[in-house]
Amino acid sequence: MTTTPTTAGPMHAAPRRRSTLTLVTVFLVSLAPVLAAVIFYLNPQWWPRDGSNYGTLIEPQRDLPAPAQLALATLDGQPYDLRQLRGKWLLMAADGGACPESCARKLFIIRNSHASQGKNVDRVARIWFITDDAPVPRKVLDAYVGTVMVRARPEQLSRFLLDAGASSSLAGPMWLADPLGHLMLQFPADADPVKVRGDLSKLIYNSRIG
């Protein structure tokens, strides 16, 4: 009796190869925007220079410092590592604990910029670096619940936020760090709250990270 050769093996192999190729293609297409976003944020020299950002781009970008470079403590004296907030956009300000009107204005802008992000609100955290040992007024504590309040040494904080500048300048600007832990934008003293919110909204909307 003659046995007819079977072609089932090769016939079944071809669909499997096509299926595997399809899965790999879908995976690569899905991964591409994330990789592009990471590369984009790691290379600020590629960012558009059309002045569309209100904040000033920080170049070179500086990473969130380790506790050895920036010793932080919560209001009850517990050490705090800023790097635990990686994965979120960070809106930051610095001022003395007494928090004069100019300080309260910055905290107000940061809080409202955060709250305005709607469904993206969990992608943002807000930080207040307190640069002295002065007690924080109760009205400030109550008004800005949800803000991470940590005490910092001005000379260490200045090296992070200002790179190399007088610690007295810390009380003016506000800053934004991206979810990869890079300090990326500085907003001016007396910043326009609408424009600060606009920068944050635009970055979050266009970002695939954080």
Side-chain angles (χ1 to χ4, degrees):
M1 182 175 63
T2 304
T3 302
T4 304
T6 178
T7 57
M11 290 177 63
H12 284 292
R16 283 199 297 270
R17 284 196 296 271
R18 285 196 297 271
S19 178
T20 301
L21 180 60
T22 300
L23 288 175
V24 170
T25 301
V26 169
F27 173 75
L28 292 176
V29 169
S30 302
L31 187 62
V34 178
L35 291 177
V38 172
I39 293 171
F40 181 76
Y41 279 107
L42 290 176
N43 293 274
Q45 68 272 19
W46 296 345
W47 294 13
R49 304 295 177 176
D50 59 0
S52 59
N53 288 329
Y54 174 60
T56 300
L57 185 65
I58 294 174
E59 295 184 273
Q61 291 180 337
R62 297 188 287 279
D63 292 338
L64 298 180
Q69 287 75 49
L70 182 59
L72 301 175
T74 60
L75 295 184
D76 60 0
Q78 298 302 309
Y80 190 87
D81 188 347
L82 192 63
R83 296 174 302 174
Q84 69 183 279
L85 295 175
R86 285 190 62 165
K88 292 181 179 289
W89 295 89
L90 304 183
L91 282 168
M92 300 175 288
D95 220 304
C99 197
E101 183 178 350
S102 58
C103 164
R105 182 178 185 274
K106 290 183 296 184
L107 297 182
F108 177 82
I109 292 173
I110 287 173
R111 184 190 66 186
N112 284 15
S113 296
H114 181 192
S116 69
Q117 299 310 310
K119 66 180 181 180
N120 292 314
V121 70
D122 290 336
R123 298 172 66 184
V124 184
R126 53 189 194 270
I127 318 296
W128 177 24
F129 298 108
I130 303 169
T131 54
D132 57 24
D133 294 325
V136 178
R138 171 51 58 184
K139 64 180 181 180
V140 175
L141 293 173
D142 292 342
Y144 300 106
V145 172
T147 298
V148 176
M149 301 181 183
V150 288
R151 297 192 188 273
R153 299 175 186 172
E155 67 278 6
Q156 292 183 333
L157 189 60
S158 181
R159 286 194 289 271
F160 168 47
L161 294 178
L162 301 175
D163 191 19
S167 60
S168 59
S169 300
L170 287 167
M174 295 177 290
W175 294 267
L176 178 68
D178 70 22
L180 298 177
H182 302 141
L183 189 65
M184 58 178 296
L185 288 179
Q186 178 174 310
F187 300 104
D190 299 320
D192 183 328
V194 174
K195 292 181 179 179
V196 172
R197 184 172 69 243
D199 269 8
L200 178 63
S201 298
K202 179 174 61 178
L203 286 165
I204 289 178
Y205 178 79
N206 290 303
S207 173
R208 302 275 182 170
I209 55 176

